Amino acid sequence: MNSIRTVKEIIEPLYVMEGAGVLLRRSIAPQASNHFDPFLLFDHFAFNDPAEGPIRGFPMHPHRGIETVSYILKGSVNHRDSLGNAGYIGPGDVQWMTAGGGILHEEMPHRGPDGIIDGFQLWVNLPASQKMSRPRYQEVSAETIPVFEMTGCQVRVIAGIVGNIRGPVTKIAASPLFLDVRLEIGANFSLPVPEKHTVLAYMYEGTGILGDTEVPSVKMAVFSDGRQIEVRSGDSSVRFMLMAGVPFREPIVPYGPFVMNTRAEIEQALADLRNGTFIQE
Ligand code: FE2
């Protein structure tokens, strides 16, 4: 097998409405085919026009069986949940939430001083053995995310290892790599990645050359298998999110904010919500 991964698919995000009417760019969404195993969903929310009106956010909703990862570039998100946790995710901050057996939460985005909100939400699957685990948060403030630097490259390492730098998010079943990469004009970035891991790159600024494929901004690239990725910038700087993780290769049944392994487990989640037994003490 060629050790350098090529781009096998470029996904154009679809605009979708979520929550109380929030417009998002969605590149991948949970599907029974589990094509991007262990990744389930990737949303890019970007509001930069006050004419879009007030941002109504995501009022109380449940999650079970997954992890949701919020990463904010500009603006902020206020968060609170049914377990009494509350927090603020500001520019450069990350919240890695393991919903496990269940939480109900609210996520309310706010514009930054320049009127802009920009950020991402990634959903990572949990293996069957951890779907009903105790909910857990890893909240990482911008200052504590380490940066790997190489000529023309700056990489914020949120989870996983780049060079000798280890990201602060740990003990995640998918062994993920979650990076925010910036390349100056004419820079090269290469990184070893484990074979068989699913690797995705979401370009959000500039056009990157991934392997030998040009990927323009606001597109998701899916890499083929291999042991290494190589990304170059051309005559503009480039920013992208890089995600890698080990596939669990288990059947999944997605249903709205739940992703379980069987239909019966989805029925159980719905019954728990109806009966007020969704949150496990
Ligand atoms: Fe949520």
Side-chain angles (χ1 to χ4, degrees):
M1 184 202 314
N2 190 345
S3 77
I4 295 172
R5 291 183 181 233
T6 56
V7 171
K8 64 174 180 183
E9 189 180 352
I10 295 177
I11 298 169
E12 172 93 41
L14 296 174
Y15 280 95
V16 293
M17 281 282 197
E18 276 292 351
V22 181
L23 192 63
L24 300 162
R25 295 189 186 110
R26 178 162 293 167
S27 309
I28 66 172
Q31 289 187 332
S33 57
N34 208 2
H35 197 50
F36 308 103
D37 186 8
F39 301 113
L40 297 163
L41 172 142
F42 189 87
D43 281 346
H44 179 187
F45 42 95
F47 310 94
N48 49 24
D49 182 359
E52 288 159 343
I55 292 147
R56 283 158 290 193
F58 306 88
M60 274 297 166
H61 59 278
H63 288 291
R64 178 177 280 180
I66 60 169
E67 302 182 288
T68 69
V69 183
S70 306
Y71 179 49
I72 306 300
L73 298 170
K74 287 185 172 171
S76 60
V77 173
N78 278 89
H79 169 265
R80 72 192 171 94
D81 76 10
S82 53
L83 304 168
N85 301 301
Y88 164 90
I89 315 168
D93 296 346
V94 174
Q95 183 199 58
W96 197 294
M97 182 187 82
T98 305
I103 65 137
L104 290 154
H105 76 165
E106 179 187 274
E107 299 159 287
M108 294 307 216
H110 302 283
R111 295 178 191 278
D114 54 1
I116 296 176
I117 293 183
D118 203 350
F120 307 107
Q121 190 167 83
L122 169 72
W123 290 9
V124 186
N125 200 13
L126 287 168
S129 60
Q130 292 183 29
K131 282 203 178 287
M132 293 302 286
S133 61
R134 190 181 265 276
R136 173 184 181 220
Y137 287 91
Q138 298 188 63
E139 297 199 340
V140 185
S141 61
E143 324 70 85
T144 58
I145 296 175
V147 179
F148 173 85
E149 298 208 46
M150 227 173 59
T151 317
C153 312
Q154 286 126 29
V155 184
R156 302 189 79 220
V157 185
I158 298 160
I161 298 177
V162 179
N164 54 353
I165 298 208
R166 182 186 293 269
V169 172
T170 56
K171 299 199 175 83
I172 303 291
S175 302
L177 195 57
F178 189 48
L179 312 176
D180 179 4
V181 183
R182 187 195 159 88
L183 305 184
E184 312 292 342
I185 293 169
N188 279 296
F189 174 67
S190 66
L191 185 72
V193 287
E195 245 177 300
K196 308 281 192 239
H197 281 211
T198 299
V199 184
L200 307 174
Y202 184 79
M203 304 295 310
Y204 67 91
E205 221 179 271
T207 295
I209 301 135
L210 284 57
D212 47 19
T213 306
E214 273 197 15
V215 180
S217 73
V218 199
K219 302 257 191 292
M220 175 73 86
V222 184
F223 282 97
S224 63
D225 201 5
R227 289 187 288 271
Q228 177 130 340
I229 61 152
E230 292 192 350
V231 181
R232 285 181 291 130
S233 53
D235 49 14
S236 70
S237 61
V238 169
R239 292 191 71 177
F240 60 98
M241 301 301 297
L242 186 77
M243 294 146 274
V246 65
F248 298 127
R249 304 191 194 288
E250 293 176 353
I252 61 166
V253 180
Y255 186 87
F258 315 128
V259 180
M260 303 302 287
N261 300 107
T262 66
R263 188 79 229 165
E265 289 165 343
I266 295 292
E267 299 295 343
Q268 185 62 52
L270 294 169
D272 285 343
L273 269 182
R274 280 194 304 272
N275 302 335
T277 52
F278 186 75
I279 302 300
Q280 329 265 309
E281 292 309 326

